[in-house]
Amino acid sequence: MKNTFSAVILTMLFLQAHAQVMDSTWYRPQQLINLPMPPIAGTAISGENIDEGFFKDQVILLAFGNLVNVASLKNIEVLNMLQKDFKGHPFKILSVIPNAKQDVLDFNSDSLNTGLAQTLRSSFHLPPMEYPVMAACDQRNPDNSLHVACDNVVKDYLIGGYPVICIVDRRGIIRFVHVGLAPKEQMERWYNVVSGQVGLLLKEE
């Protein structure tokens, strides 16, 4: 019965996520191109401090997503690939997720029976996030659902829908913004565009 209940809940979450419709509010983050990145401070789920030192002299890819957005979850594999492709370079990925820390920890855990978030990842065979991840919310939703639990950080980036990536140069200026996830048939091209943007910024002095 418990497994059936979990499957129903997970199906409902994915159906709700698929029902999202992009509108003009989704594209507001593009207004930030060529502006300094709004400050981000906190602690990654690994315990790493997210402060000025984290960003200093690094090309940064900020990835905004949430635990019940299908495209955000599909984006994990792409971000893992970018992390590997630019290993050894002054490049970092930071995923900012407006869910509670415990839910994000549960999602990334390989242990069984660690909550609905872990069930979500294991049920849909999603990889763990292999890059720094910051949960932006202090508390879970009152109903313990996995929906967005706060607007901390994401409001400063004008986020109206998920996923969003912002690429920041080593001076802290946002140089590239992409909203949504490319269709499967365009994914290779999209990946090349994103990795190309990172490569160009790495060449800048």
Side-chain angles (χ1 to χ4, degrees), residues 58-71:
Q58 301 286 313
V59 173
I60 303 290
L61 188 150
L62 298 173
F64 296 92
N66 70 68
L67 295 181
V68 296
N69 177 261
V70 175

Side-chain angles (χ1 to χ4, degrees), residues 134-198:
M134 189 179 87
C137 308
D138 297 325
Q139 296 181 337
R140 285 175 161 157
N141 287 308
D143 63 357
N144 289 323
S145 72
L146 297 180
H147 293 285
V148 170
C150 68
D151 64 355
N152 298 344
V153 182
V154 298
K155 65 180 182 299
D156 296 329
Y157 283 80
L158 310 178
I159 305 297
Y162 299 91
V164 174
I165 65 167
C166 301
I167 302 179
V168 185
D169 68 19
R170 285 188 272 193
R171 295 177 295 121
I173 305 299
I174 296 174
R175 299 284 294 276
F176 177 85
V177 173
H178 183 85
V179 178
L181 187 67
K184 185 176 181 180
E185 64 273 13
Q186 298 177 23
M187 184 58 70
E188 183 176 355
R189 178 178 177 276
W190 180 84
Y191 185 89
N192 290 338
V193 168
V194 174
S195 61
Q197 290 290 324
V198 172

